[in-house]
Amino acid sequence: MPTKKKPQVTAAPERRRELLDTAAEVFAEQGYNATTVRKIADHAGMLAGSLYYHFDSKESMLEEILRTFLDELWDGYDTVLDGELGPRETLEALVTESFREIDRHRAAVAIYQKESKQLVAQERFAFLAESQRRFEEAWLATLERGVAAEVFRADLDIRLTYRFVRDTVWVAASWYRPGGQHSPEEIARQYLSMVLDGIAVRTVPVTLPVRT
């Protein structure tokens, strides 16, 4: 005789957010495959059976964690991309928005980096591949605009630069902790200073005539 499935109940938004934050930290620290519902429940201070009243599986928890992160990331990115900024200003705003998302969703970013290659093979996580495609297109288009406008060097390898900036920014999730010494905006300014000094058009210093 089939067992009766436990009814799903809707948790208060704050409690649901707390449970997902806990799950995200466990996934990020221990890896998705090594994490069980029981481990998440233990970290949340509840019984594993009680967690099933809020989520039907660890897969559904992971999906919501990643969708929430990417939805907020694209809300910020789309605002930047629709703002009709120059290419340099667009790149600066994208980098800054990226660090803000690391600040808001550090664990989700870590999960995304570690697990996305395996997850995209699953139908329920196909949205990851679409986000990766949009992400690459947005950054490459910004760099290409910068070269065309002579804001970035003409000899810039667009794809190599994209990979460098992408990896340099997102690897920060491995060491960044919210509430630390530097705000996400300050870290973005420091990163941009280092990056743009390498890709901005070099200006020839003007030599003024010496008066005799």
Side-chain angles (χ1 to χ4, degrees):
M1 184 175 180
T3 57
K4 188 175 181 181
K5 189 176 181 179
K6 292 181 179 180
Q8 292 278 303
V9 298
T10 302
E14 297 81 5
R15 180 55 175 161
R16 188 178 185 86
R17 183 72 262 160
E18 289 174 2
L19 293 174
L20 288 172
D21 287 345
T22 298
E25 291 293 339
V26 180
F27 286 141
E29 180 181 346
Q30 301 187 16
Y32 175 67
N33 289 331
T35 299
T36 63
V37 171
R38 182 179 295 278
K39 285 183 180 179
I40 298 171
D42 288 344
H43 280 77
M46 62 194 304
L47 297 174
S50 299
L51 195 59
Y52 279 114
Y53 279 103
H54 305 293
F55 305 96
D56 62 10
S57 65
K58 73 172 188 176
E59 288 83 2
S60 65
M61 298 182 78
L62 181 62
E63 181 181 0
E64 187 166 343
I65 289 165
L66 293 176
R67 282 190 182 276
T68 298
F69 155 57
L70 291 175
D71 285 348
E72 291 192 17
L73 175 70
W74 280 106
D75 282 346
Y77 271 22
D78 286 340
T79 298
V80 171
L81 296 171
D82 293 340
E84 299 183 354
L85 302 172
R88 179 177 176 128
E89 291 75 20
T90 298
L91 186 144
E92 290 173 341
L94 289 174
V95 168
T96 301
E97 189 60 38
S98 298
F99 278 107
R100 286 173 178 154
E101 289 307 314
I102 292 173
D103 182 65
R104 297 184 190 111
H105 299 287
R106 186 203 61 80
V109 174
I111 297 166
Y112 183 91
Q113 290 180 315
K114 293 177 184 177
E115 311 286 355
S116 60
K117 288 183 179 179
Q118 289 72 38
L119 292 173
V120 291
Q122 302 179 37
E123 184 177 353
R124 75 183 299 166
F125 292 104
F127 65 91
L128 296 177
E130 173 61 16
S131 181
Q132 289 168 357
R133 183 192 63 77
R134 291 178 62 198
F135 186 91
E136 181 173 320
E137 287 182 354
W139 284 82
L140 289 176
T142 299
L143 292 168
E144 287 168 355
R145 278 203 301 133
V147 172
E150 298 184 349
V151 175
F152 303 145
R153 297 200 323 256
D155 64 342
L156 201 66
D157 185 315
I158 298 297
R159 189 163 293 275
L160 184 61
T161 303
Y162 154 68
R163 290 171 177 166
F164 171 76
V165 175
R166 177 197 64 190
D167 295 346
T168 301
V169 169
W170 292 105
V171 76
S174 65
W175 56 261
Y176 178 81
R177 293 296 179 272
Q181 182 179 358
H182 300 293
S183 69
E185 291 79 12
E186 174 59 27
I187 296 173
R189 282 194 294 271
Q190 294 291 336
Y191 268 58
L192 285 163
S193 176
M194 291 182 280
V195 170
L196 291 173
D197 283 344
I199 69 174
V201 171
R202 296 186 179 95
T203 57
V204 178
V206 177
T207 302
L208 298 176
V210 178
R211 292 185 178 181
T212 59

